[in-house]
Amino acid sequence: MDRFALCRALAEAGVPAALYEIADCPGDHRAADRYFLAGRAGDWTVGVHERGTREVFEHFADEDTACRWLYDRLLAPEPAPGPEAPAGPGPGPEELQRRADEDLETALAEQRRRADEQAAREFRENPAGGDGSG
């Protein structure tokens, strides 16, 4: 595929010309943000033109691969919808603080439990509690 075939394929697929800028192809390049394909034999780049700055995403050695990359990017299916946002507002600051306090208490209780277990284990291993000379 060359850039002219890419232009035709994108038009046939209904991709608005404002979404891309392809060297030597007609189109509406006034959109602030758009994909671009530029280059010449042996050095093809694709990327995005955003807020007056071009960011190159990929470099290609041949026009066909660059065109296919851009075609795939512009015709990629929409991502699957994520989980629905919970209905209504989230918890207020008091609820968030209560949950944080509960989490802290749980963590401190776990720490105390582990310290008690360690102390009991050490006592069983050395009941004299001294230097082992007992």
Side-chain angles (χ1 to χ4, degrees):
M1 174 186 302
D2 66 12
R3 62 190 176 277
F4 303 106
L6 174 60
C7 289
R8 288 189 302 274
L10 292 173
E12 289 170 7
V15 177
L19 294 181
Y20 57 87
E21 176 184 342
I22 299 172
D24 302 322
C25 289
D28 178 9
H29 307 307
R30 292 173 295 178
D33 301 336
R34 62 189 176 273
Y35 283 97
F36 72 87
L37 176 127
R40 48 187 100 49
D43 184 27
W44 292 89
T45 56
V46 290
V48 68
H49 183 106
E50 187 174 40
R51 298 182 186 153
T53 303
R54 285 188 174 205
E55 179 181 349
V56 174
F57 289 159
E58 298 283 339
H59 288 274
F60 298 97
D62 64 278
E63 184 175 9
D64 177 69
T65 307
C67 289
R68 291 181 188 281
W69 185 95
L70 185 56
Y71 181 86
D72 289 345
R73 181 63 62 105
L74 287 167
L75 271 78
E78 291 291 319
E84 289 187 26
E94 295 84 14
E95 176 64 14
L96 290 174
Q97 185 63 53
R98 185 189 64 74
R99 290 179 187 177
D101 290 344
E102 287 176 359
D103 290 346
L104 176 61
E105 277 303 315
T106 300
L108 290 173
E110 179 65 16
Q111 184 179 18
R112 285 190 297 272
R113 184 189 64 76
R114 288 181 182 174
D116 290 347
E117 286 178 357
Q118 179 67 25
R121 188 172 26 259
E122 289 173 1
F123 180 77
R124 285 191 302 270
E125 291 170 1
N126 189 4
D131 57 13
S133 61

